[in-house]
Amino acid sequence: MVEIEIDGKKVEVQEGSMVMDAANKLGTYIPHFCYHKKLSIAANCRMCLVDVEKAPKPLPACATPVTAGMIVRTASDKAVKAQKGVMEFLLINHPLDCPICDQGGECQLQDLAVGYGGSASRYEEEKRVVIPKDVGPLISMKEMNRCIHCTRCVRFGQEVAGVMELGMLGRGEHSEITTFVGKTVDSELSGNMIDLCPVGALTSKPFRYSARTWELSRRKSVSPHDSIGANLIVQVKGGKVMRVLPLENEEVNECWISDKDRFSYEALDSEERLTKPMLKQDGKWQEVDWQTALEYVAHGLRNIRHEHGADAIAALGTAYSTVEELSLLQKVARGLGTDNVDFRLRQSDFALDGKVTPWLGMSIVEFSELNRVFVIGSFLRKDHPLLTARLRQSVKSGAKISVLHATDDDLLMPIANKIIKAPSAWLAALSEIIAAVAEAKGVAVPAGFEAVQASAEAKQTAASLLSGNAKGVFLGNAAVQHPQAAQLHAAAQWIAEQTGAKLGYLTEAGNTVGGYVANAVPAAGKGFNAAQAFAQPRKAYLLLNAEPELDSFDPQAARTALDKAEMVVVMSAYKHGAEYADVLLPIAPFTETSGTFVNAEGRAQSFNGTVKPLGDARPGWKVLRVLGNLLGLENFDYETSEAIRDELLGKETNLAARLNNVAALPLQAAASAADGALERVADVPIYFADAIARRSPPLLQTVDGQAPKAWLSAALAEKLGIAAGDRVNVKQGQGSASLTAAIDKKLPENVVRVAAAHASTAVLGSMFGAIVVEKA
C-alpha cells in the first residue's frame, strides 16, 4: 500500500493505483469526462488535471500513478486554471444547443461548464459540423456535433461488449466517432453506450424528445428477462413508464443492463395490452367485469372437477411470473385437488424432478472469479448477456473457457476449447471427457465407459478443467431443454466432482429458481409436468403469463391439447390465445405489480409496482387470491404480496441453502454415432424469449428481432442444392413452415438451426429432434 496526501487528507491505496482512485476512496471529486471506473484509461479529455507537488505542470489524475509521499492539490489555483483552460477548449466546437438537447439536465458537460466554463467565448471561427449517422433502432447519433471524443463508447464496445462497433476516424478537427462502413450497432449490450456518453451525442432513440429528466420520478425495480435479475431504475411520468436505466449493484449487474432489460418497456403500452376481462360467448368475445369473469372461471373449474375429476385440470405458469404469483397458482391447483402444476414449459426431460433445484451453484461475484469454465449447451451471448460480459473480463485475466454446443456462435472472446456436435451427440462428447479425465487422473473409468475413446478435443477440455483452481461446469438453457437433460446432468456432475469444479445451471429466466422455491412443480410421483400436461390433453388449463405456442418445448402438442380442452383460462398482460381460450384475464406485468424474483444465485429481490395497472388489469397474485376465495379454498386471505412472500421465504434474501445441484444418478455412456439423420437445434432468440420483449417495437427492428431463418451447414446446403436466401420448407411432426435459408459454415453437417418462440416456427414440433428440409 502507498500513502499519499490529497488536499491535506492522507489516504492509503494499492500500489499501481492512479490519483483518481485515491481521490475516489477519499470521496474527493475531480472533474472528468473520459475516465470511467469500468473502462481502461484513455486520458484524452484532460479535464482531471491536478496540481502535483514538484511536478512542473498539472497532471491528469486518471493516468498518474501514485508514489509514496505524493502531495496532490485538486483545487489549487494551478489546478483550477488548467481545468478551466481545458473546458474552454472543449466548448470551442460544442454547439451551444442545451435548450433542445435531449441530455439537458443530466449532461456532465453542462454541469461542469457551470463551474469551469467562461462567461464568454474567445472563439470566433466556424464550428465544425459532423454528419448524423443512422446506427439502428436503439441509439440515436443525430447530433454528433456534440461529441467531445471521450471515447467511452468505443472502449465500452471493445472491452465490455466484446465487439468494437464504434471507432474514431480522421485526425484533428476531422476526427469523428462512427460505425464502420455504414454498419449498425447490433450488440446486445449497446444501450449502455447511451448511459456512458457524458454529452448529448448518443441518445436513446425510443425515449428521444419524450420527456425531460427533471419531470421523471424514479422507482427501483428488478428485470424479469434473464437469470441474473438486473437491478433497474424505472423512470415514470404521468403514470407511464418513459425509460429504464440500470441501478448499480456490483454483486448483480455492476452498472450495466442488456438492451432487452432497457428497451422492452416499449411493449408495456402496446396496442396488444389486455385491459378488460373478456369472455367468449357463442364464438364472440365480450368485455365483462371482474366479478362475472372470475365467477365464470370458478364455476367452470368446479364443473370440470365434478365431471372429470380434479386430475383433468392443469395449471401452467412461466418463470417470468413472480414468486407470489407462482405460489398462489400452485395453491389454487392443489386446493382443487390436482398436482398438475408446472412453470418449465420448455423442458422435455423431467427425470431430475425431486432430486435437484437447479441454480448457479455459487454467487455471481464468485462466477466472475472462476479461471476454468466449461459451458454445456448454451447460446451464451444471447441467453445470458451480462454473465457473458463477466466471463469476457475473466478471460482477460487469464481464465480459460471450454464449450460443448451444437452451434459455433461468436461469443466475442477467445474460447480455449470447443466441441461443436449435433445435440444427439452431446452425451457421447461428455462420455469422452469423462474417459479423458479418468485417464489424466489415473483413476478407473466408471462402469460402462471402458470402450469410450477420448478424442483430442475431449482430452484438451479435460486437461483445461484439471488445471486452474477456481472452476465451474455449467449447464445452459439448451442443455436443460435437451431430451437427455438428466443424463447430461449426471455426466456434468461426475466431471465437476472429479476435477474439483462446482456444478451450476445458467437458469433461463428472472424467476426460474423462484419457481422451485414457490413449489410450482408437481410433487415427485404425483401430477403431470408441463410436457405430460400437453401430451395427454387435460379438460381445463389455467395459464399464467404463458403463451404455450411460443413458450413450449413442443408447440404442436401444446396447441392440439389447448384446442381440445373444454376450458382454457388465459391470465396475461396481452391479448393472445383468442382461438383456444374461453376467458382472458388481464394481469399486470412486472412494472405494475409488487413481487419477488429469485435470480440464478438464489438472491431473492423484491420490488414494488412503478405505475398503476393499465385499464382494469390487476396484479396476478390478487386475481389468484380472489379466485381462491371464490373456490372456497382455505388460507387465501392475503392482504399484500409481502404476506405471501414472508410465508414462503420468511425474511431470507439469500436462498442458496435451499437449492441443490447434486443428484445421485447412474452414469450412462454413449458412443458417438456416425452423422446420420437431420436434427434440429432450436435457440430462443433474445428478443422473443418472453411476452414483453417480443412486443417491443424497437427491439423487433434490430438484427436479433428479425424473423428466424433455417440455418444449414455448407455441406448440407450443397447436398440439397440450396443457396443462402432461397425459400425452404421445414417439416417436423404434423407441421411445416416456409423459411428463408441461411448458411452457417460452422454448423455440424446434420444439424439445422431453426429458432423457437416465434410465430413463423410455432407450427413445428419439438425444439430438438428429427427435421426435414426441402427446397421450396
Side-chain angles (χ1 to χ4, degrees), residues 435-444 466 494 497-500:
V437 168
E439 188 187 332
K441 283 186 73 180
V443 297
L466 285 164
W494 189 93
E497 283 166 359
Q498 293 297 321
T499 57

Side-chain angles (χ1 to χ4, degrees), residues 19-325:
V19 172
M20 186 72 95
D21 302 323
N24 287 344
K25 193 169 177 184
L26 268 180
T28 300
Y29 179 72
I30 299 175
H32 60 271
F33 293 113
C34 67
Y35 167 80
H36 190 278
K37 61 183 179 187
K38 294 281 180 192
L39 302 176
S40 61
I41 292 163
N44 53 11
C45 77
R46 313 312 272 184
M47 191 65 213
C48 63
L49 291 174
V50 289
D51 177 6
V52 178
E53 197 165 275
K54 298 196 177 119
K57 57 182 185 185
L59 299 175
C62 68
T64 304
V66 294
T67 54
M70 180 188 252
I71 296 174
V72 179
R73 295 185 191 87
T74 66
S76 66
D77 287 349
K78 186 176 176 183
V80 172
K81 194 176 170 197
Q83 290 161 353
K84 285 188 167 174
V86 169
M87 179 57 79
E88 186 176 13
F89 276 123
L90 282 175
L91 293 177
I92 275 180
N93 265 312
H94 199 77
L96 301 178
D97 58 353
C98 298
I100 62 142
C101 175
D102 215 37
Q103 194 94 330
E106 49 184 4
C107 167
Q108 259 178 287
L109 186 68
Q110 198 179 43
D111 294 345
L112 292 177
V114 174
Y116 299 91
S119 53
S121 172
R122 296 184 279 172
Y123 183 76
E124 290 169 358
E125 285 70 23
E126 303 256 316
K127 295 207 173 206
R128 66 192 195 111
V129 175
V130 182
I131 308 293
K133 320 276 185 299
D134 182 11
V135 292
L138 304 180
I139 299 178
S140 167
M141 290 179 80
K142 275 274 195 317
E143 282 92 10
M144 290 306 287
N145 295 337
R146 300 173 187 156
C147 176
I148 59 168
H149 299 169
C150 68
T151 66
R152 279 182 178 186
C153 54
V154 179
R155 284 175 287 148
F156 171 82
Q158 224 172 347
E159 295 162 20
V160 181
V163 54
M164 189 168 160
E165 293 178 298
L166 293 176
M168 193 183 275
L169 292 182
R171 296 181 65 175
E173 69 162 5
H174 300 295
S175 48
E176 55 179 287
I177 301 282
T178 179
T179 55
F180 294 100
V181 210
K183 282 206 160 61
T184 52
V185 173
D186 300 324
S187 159
E188 59 283 357
L189 297 171
S190 67
N192 293 298
M193 295 178 187
I194 300 166
D195 295 343
L196 287 172
C197 184
V199 293
L202 302 182
T203 50
S204 160
K205 240 185 205 175
F207 172 70
R208 223 169 123 77
Y209 299 140
S210 59
R212 283 299 197 181
T213 173
W214 55 85
E215 303 172 313
L216 302 170
S217 52
R218 298 154 179 265
R219 323 259 162 92
K220 293 179 182 178
S221 192
V222 178
S223 166
H225 299 296
D226 63 23
S227 61
I228 74 164
N231 291 195
L232 309 176
I233 294 172
V234 177
Q235 298 194 325
V236 174
K237 177 188 171 187
K240 185 177 173 198
V241 175
M242 302 303 287
R243 179 164 68 160
V244 173
L245 298 174
L247 174 64
E248 190 170 336
N249 184 339
E250 209 43 46
E251 295 176 351
V252 179
N253 54 315
E254 300 172 275
C255 51
W256 317 124
I257 51 175
S258 69
D259 289 355
K260 181 157 66 164
D261 300 332
R262 185 184 298 271
F263 295 107
S264 63
Y265 74 88
E266 284 282 306
L268 295 173
D269 291 297
S270 129
E271 290 176 1
E272 289 183 47
R273 273 299 296 270
L274 181 61
T275 53
K276 286 209 159 44
M278 297 175 84
L279 290 183
K280 190 192 271 180
Q281 279 164 338
D282 305 327
K284 290 196 175 63
W285 282 103
Q286 289 173 352
E287 291 184 355
V288 294
D289 58 27
W290 271 106
Q291 187 74 22
T292 311
L294 286 171
E295 280 175 355
Y296 178 88
V297 173
H299 180 70
L301 290 173
R302 273 204 208 92
N303 275 358
I304 284 169
R305 180 175 64 177
H306 178 68
E307 287 173 26
H308 307 283
D311 196 39
I313 301 170
L316 301 171
T318 62
Y320 301 97
S321 315
T322 63
V323 168
E324 292 81 352
E325 289 165 351

